[in-house]
Amino acid sequence: MSVSKAPADRKVILTGDRPTGPLHLGHYVGSLKNRVAYQHEYKQFILVADAQALTDNTDDEGKGRDKVHRNVSEVALDYLAVGIDPDVTTICVQTWLPELTELTFYYLNLVTVARLERNPTVKQEISLRNFERDIPAGFLTYPVSQAADITAFRATLVPVGEDQLPMIEQTNEIARRLNRMAGREILTEAKALVPPIGRLPGIDGKAKMSKSLGNVINISSSPDEIRAAVKKCYTDPLHLKVEDPGHLEGNVAFAYLDAFDEDKEGLQALKDHYVRGGLADSKVKARLEERLQEMLRPMRERREEYAKNPDYVWDMLRAGTERARETVSQTLDDVRSVFVTPGWKK
C-alpha cells in the first residue's frame, strides 16, 4: 500500500457513510462524485461509520450488527468502483479507531440532552424511525459522535446536504466550548460544503431515495436491474397520451437526466418536445437507461475486479485506518490535556 500522495498543507475534508447497505445513485450525486474530484484538491479522509450505523441497527439477535459488519467491505468496494483512490484519499473504519469513542465521551459533557433533542436533524430522524420516547441513547447522541469524528480529523470542510447543517453547527458549538475551557484553540471549527446538486428523488417519486423503500438504483446494479428500475421511474401522471403536453416538475426521469446526461443541449430539446406534447415517456426512459448503463458499466466492472481480491480491500482499510490514527491520536492527546487528571504521563 502506497503512502498518501495528498500534500499535507491542503485543507482537510472529512466525509463518510453508514455501512447499512449498497451505495446508490443518490450517494453518487450527493457525495461520491464530488469525493473523486475533492481528493485531488484537498487532504481527504473518508470514514466508514460503522459505529454510527449501530445506533439504530442493534437488536438482541445481532442481525442488524451483522448487516453493518458485512457492509463495511461492500461500501469500500463502492468507493473503489467510482474512482476513489486509496493512495490519495485515506479510507478508514470508525470502530477501528477507539480514539473517536474516547473523544465522544469527553464531548458528552459539553452538551445537554435538551440541546440534542432540539437538533432539527435528530428530530426528523427520530420521527422517521417512529422511536417516540424509545430512543436508543446512542442514536440521540450521535451528533456528539459526529462532532468527535469531525474534530478528530481536524476537518476544515465537511460535505453535507442542507438537512445536515445543524450537525455542523452543533460540532462547532462543542469545539468553541472546549476551546474556552482550555483557554486556547485546540479544536478547529469546520465549514459545511453543500454539493451543487441537491437530493435525488427515489424512482417512485418520493422525496428521498431509501434502501428500505426499494426505490433506489445501486451503483453495483446489473444491466437488467438498471433496465427494470428505469421502467418503474415516476414520470407525469397527467401525460396519458403521447400527444398530451407533459410536465417536468416532479418527473423523476427528467430529474435523473438532469443529474446524469452530459448532453445538456440535447436534453433541453427533449424537454421542449415533452412539454409541447408528442413525446412518449418510453422515449424519455430509453434515453435515461442508455445514459445510466453507459455511466455505471465501468464502475460495475471495476467493482467486480476488486471483489475478486477481498484481502486487498481489507488491507486497504487497515492501512487507511493506521494513517488516520496518526491524526486522531494527536487530537485526543490535546483534548485529554483538558479533561484528564494530571499525572497520567511522566
Side-chain angles (χ1 to χ4, degrees):
M1 183 68 62
S2 303
V3 176
S4 174
K5 303 171 188 172
D9 59 349
R10 291 185 180 180
K11 289 184 177 180
V12 178
I13 278 186
L14 174 69
T15 182
D17 301 283
R18 289 158 42 102
T20 55
L23 301 183
H24 51 66
L25 290 183
H27 295 115
Y28 183 74
V29 166
S31 58
L32 296 175
K33 184 178 180 181
N34 295 324
R35 292 176 196 174
V36 175
Y38 292 154
Q39 67 186 343
H40 302 295
E41 300 177 41
Y42 306 101
K43 183 178 181 181
Q44 181 171 244
F45 294 94
I46 298 180
L47 185 66
V48 183
D50 55 338
Q52 191 182 119
L54 291 172
T55 62
D56 60 341
N57 282 280
T58 300
D59 52 78
D60 293 342
E61 294 79 22
K63 293 178 181 178
R65 176 207 61 206
D66 294 345
K67 176 184 73 172
V68 170
H69 291 174
R70 284 194 306 271
N71 279 302
V72 168
S73 61
E74 293 299 309
V75 166
L77 283 170
D78 285 335
Y79 292 160
L80 296 171
V82 300
I84 293 170
D85 184 348
D87 290 339
V88 176
T89 291
T90 298
I91 304 173
C92 50
V93 180
Q94 193 175 34
T95 56
W96 296 356
L97 290 166
E99 295 88 346
L100 301 177
T101 307
E102 187 172 345
L103 281 172
T104 300
F105 175 79
Y106 296 138
Y107 292 177
L108 283 168
N109 297 293
L110 304 179
V111 65
T112 65
V113 171
R115 176 64 182 92
L116 290 168
E117 289 179 331
R118 288 199 307 272
N119 186 309
T121 305
V122 175
K123 286 170 69 175
Q124 181 184 34
E125 294 292 339
I126 287 172
S127 175
L128 287 172
R129 287 164 173 78
N130 296 314
F131 281 146
E132 296 183 356
R133 293 306 298 170
D134 292 324
I135 308 167
F139 187 85
L140 180 64
T141 59
Y142 89 80
V144 183
S145 170
Q146 199 165 57
D149 298 338
I150 293 168
T151 57
F153 288 93
R154 313 279 187 180
T156 53
L157 295 170
V158 183
V160 292
E162 289 191 4
D163 61 320
Q164 292 290 313
L165 291 177
M167 308 297 278
I168 306 302
E169 179 184 351
Q170 189 144 41
T171 294
N172 289 337
E173 287 176 7
I174 290 171
R176 286 193 290 268
R177 186 168 181 194
L178 186 133
N179 289 342
R180 285 196 300 270
M181 289 177 61
R184 64 189 191 281
E185 185 174 308
I186 287 180
L187 300 179
T188 305
E189 290 191 36
K191 292 183 179 179
L193 188 59
V194 180
I197 297 178
R199 178 175 284 171
L200 202 64
I203 60 173
D204 54 1
K206 289 192 167 39
K208 185 178 181 180
M209 272 196 170
S210 168
K211 292 182 281 282
S212 61
L213 294 175
N215 63 355
V216 304
I217 300 176
N218 293 328
I219 289 165
S220 56
S221 294
S222 69
D224 287 344
E225 288 169 336
I226 295 169
R227 187 171 302 113
V230 170
K231 284 182 179 178
K232 294 178 183 177
C233 265
Y234 185 84
T235 52
D236 175 10
L238 301 177
H239 190 236
L240 302 176
K241 299 177 182 178
V242 173
E243 60 269 22
D244 290 342
H247 299 84
L248 303 179
E249 186 176 353
N251 192 316
V252 172
F254 277 107
Y256 281 31
L257 284 168
D258 280 334
F260 302 115
D261 195 329
E262 296 182 358
D263 179 10
K264 300 306 179 186
E265 187 176 334
L267 177 55
Q268 187 57 54
L270 192 78
K271 288 180 177 180
D272 293 342
H273 190 176
Y274 191 76
V275 169
R276 69 174 179 265
L279 183 65
D281 286 337
S282 60
K283 296 288 186 183
V284 178
K285 291 183 177 183
R287 181 180 178 119
L288 174 59
E289 187 197 335
E290 182 182 354
R291 296 297 184 271
L292 291 180
Q293 296 282 14
E294 186 178 82
M295 182 184 78
L296 292 176
R297 184 180 302 110
M299 297 182 192
R300 184 173 57 250
E301 290 173 353
R302 276 197 298 270
R303 195 183 194 283
E304 289 170 354
E305 282 302 307
Y306 282 115
K308 293 176 183 176
N309 189 359
D311 288 343
Y312 169 82
V313 178
W314 290 111
D315 287 345
M316 175 202 74
L317 291 171
R318 281 189 285 268
T321 302
E322 285 308 306
R323 288 205 303 272
R325 179 165 284 113
E326 297 172 12
T327 299
V328 301
S329 293
Q330 182 58 58
T331 303
L332 178 58
D333 278 349
D334 291 343
V335 172
R336 274 177 174 160
S337 70
V338 179
F339 287 99
V340 174
T341 303
W344 73 286
K345 272 189 176 181
K346 284 188 178 180

